[in-house]
Amino acid sequence: MIFQHFIPQSLPFNLLSLLVLLSSTVLVTAEDFDCHVSTGGLKWDLTSLKGSHKVSRTRESPPTTMVDELRFNLCKNLKLMHGVPEDEQCQTGTRACLRKINQKTELTDRVIAIIPVASTSALEPEYSQLDSPKGLSLTFRGPPYPTSSDDPQSINFSLFCADDADPKAEPTFVSYENGVVRVDWSTPSACGLPDDQPPSQTPPQDPPQEDDDTPADDGGEESDTKPATRGSGLGFFFLVLLLAFAAYFVLGAYYNYSTYGARGVDLIPHRDFWREVPYMLQDVVSHLCSTVRTTTVDSWRVYCRMTITFCFWDMIMFKDFRYRHGACLFYLITLTPLYC
């Protein structure tokens, strides 16, 4: 009796727990897609393809040109691009972003559409094995675009097995129709292995670099290698000048020693010239100082003559020496002997 009473009351709770468990499992699968795929008895390791990739296609529409720019990351969300306004790029949580850019000669490029074709919130990754040619078909999904419509976006990657392909070969933007972006990619990573086969022993490679998505890099990948520190052009000039002087003195001293058997101070090349350098510098400084002094004296002489003229005129017209005339007399007594 107790057991029969327990089961009906605990059944709704168990169903609720099961639904919560299933929903959380789907959510984790969508968010934590780690580029390891197993299907049809084969497995693929796509971690060598991770990182930000950018491909584009150009469509002529005179007098302008339309550029469809696609950025995607198979294994992680895209990072925001530096130096690009937020309203001209997809928001955080996007796996694949399509930007439509309108270009016209001598005008600034205009971004006319930002389409998140795949996002983590609606990823729902689907994959299937390709037979001819061999490879893997991978599909990511995104939210509807525009948001008022009911047509969800998606992106389909056709990864073709190519053992002899360059591992760094870039994918190809095939088409964008009815909300579906199609990308073809020939890569050795698309060659599946049996589930029971251990990974092949390949020489260790540098881990793929995370993306920085800086438009100026045109590749959107962040490099761990920091740019080499470069000195200023002025410092390089002085370094070359110093080395030239050192070479001049060393070679000149060797020449004087080997040719004339010079010793001591006589080893200095062009010794008489270097003896005269201090006196030449002294003459230059003296000339500059005298020029400045002459300019200053001439200026004071002009000012003095104008002041004396004004004072004489003031004393002739007005017979009062109590205020300005006292200053005029001071100028006449002190400045006239010096400058006038």
Side-chain angles (χ1 to χ4, degrees):
M1 178 66 67
I2 296 177
F3 182 75
Q4 292 178 353
H5 178 72
F6 174 78
I7 292 179
Q9 291 196 1
S10 61
L11 184 58
F13 177 80
N14 292 336
L15 289 177
L16 180 61
S17 301
L18 181 60
L19 291 176
V20 172
L21 179 61
L22 290 177
S23 61
S24 63
T25 303
V26 173
L27 181 62
V28 171
T29 302
E31 292 184 347
D32 296 341
F33 178 77
D34 58 357
C35 284
H36 290 87
V37 177
S38 296
T39 182
L42 297 177
K43 60 181 179 181
W44 289 265
D45 183 0
L46 305 179
T47 54
S48 61
L49 305 180
K50 71 178 183 178
S52 178
H53 301 272
K54 183 172 72 172
V55 292
S56 61
R57 66 171 184 172
T58 302
R59 295 176 289 120
E60 297 295 335
S61 54
T64 63
T65 302
M66 290 297 300
V67 177
D68 295 336
E69 178 188 280
L70 175 68
R71 292 174 45 250
F72 66 88
N73 190 330
L74 290 180
C75 305
K76 292 184 179 180
N77 292 333
L78 290 170
K79 293 183 179 180
L80 295 179
M81 294 187 292
H82 301 306
V84 178
E86 292 186 2
D87 58 348
E88 293 187 3
Q89 59 178 313
C90 293
Q91 300 303 312
T92 304
T94 304
R95 288 288 183 100
C97 180
L98 177 64
R99 300 201 311 164
K100 291 181 175 289
I101 305 173
N102 181 263
Q103 297 178 341
K104 188 176 182 180
T105 306
E106 298 180 356
L107 292 179
T108 305
D109 295 350
R110 294 188 306 120
V111 180
I112 62 175
I114 302 295
I115 308 174
V117 294
S119 61
T120 299
S121 59
L123 196 63
E124 297 181 7
E126 296 181 1
Y127 34 82
S128 60
Q129 182 178 348
L130 298 177
D131 294 330
S132 181
K134 293 184 178 181
L136 177 69
S137 175
L138 181 63
T139 301
F140 291 160
R141 303 190 183 280
Y145 180 86
T147 54
S148 58
S149 68
D150 297 329
D151 300 326
Q153 303 293 307
S154 63
I155 181 171
N156 175 259
F157 298 96
S158 294
L159 308 177
F160 301 123
C161 175
D163 291 324
D164 55 348
D166 184 1
K168 297 182 180 180
E170 288 298 319
T172 303
F173 193 141
V174 178
S175 65
Y176 174 65
E177 297 178 355
N178 301 322
V180 180
V181 177
R182 300 191 182 279
V183 176
D184 289 349
W185 201 347
S186 296
T187 171
S189 299
C191 301
L193 298 176
D195 284 335
D196 56 353
Q197 179 177 338
S200 58
Q201 297 297 329
T202 57
Q205 300 179 353
D206 295 335
Q209 299 171 352
E210 293 297 330
D211 61 300
D212 187 13
D213 298 324
T214 303
D217 296 338
D218 201 31
E221 294 194 0
E222 179 181 2
S223 175
D224 293 335
T225 304
K226 297 182 179 179
T229 304
R230 299 179 180 177
S232 63
L234 185 62
F236 180 75
F237 170 75
F238 280 110
L239 177 61
V240 173
L241 188 63
L242 179 62
L243 293 177
F245 267 106
Y248 163 76
F249 281 106
V250 171
L251 295 178
Y254 175 76
Y255 176 80
N256 290 340
Y257 172 78
S258 60
T259 304
Y260 306 108
R263 297 290 189 278
V265 180
D266 294 334
L267 290 173
I268 300 176
H270 306 98
R271 182 190 59 183
D272 296 337
F273 168 77
W274 294 111
R275 282 181 175 176
E276 294 295 330
V277 167
Y279 301 102
M280 290 188 292
L281 292 177
Q282 183 178 2
D283 291 341
V284 170
V285 173
S286 300
H287 177 71
L288 293 176
C289 292
S290 61
T291 301
V292 174
R293 187 181 302 110
T294 301
T295 303
T296 304
V297 171
D298 290 342
S299 300
W300 270 102
R301 183 174 290 114
V302 172
Y303 175 75
C304 172
R305 290 174 180 175
M306 292 180 63
T307 304
I308 293 174
T309 302
F310 172 76
C311 287
F312 273 115
W313 175 257
D314 199 21
M315 287 186 293
I316 292 173
M317 297 299 297
F318 305 97
K319 303 301 182 181
D320 188 359
F321 287 88
R322 287 180 300 177
Y323 301 107
R324 292 178 298 176
H325 296 168
C328 288
L329 288 177
F330 174 77
Y331 280 116
L332 290 175
I333 296 173
T334 58
L335 297 181
T336 302
L338 293 176
Y339 298 108
C340 304

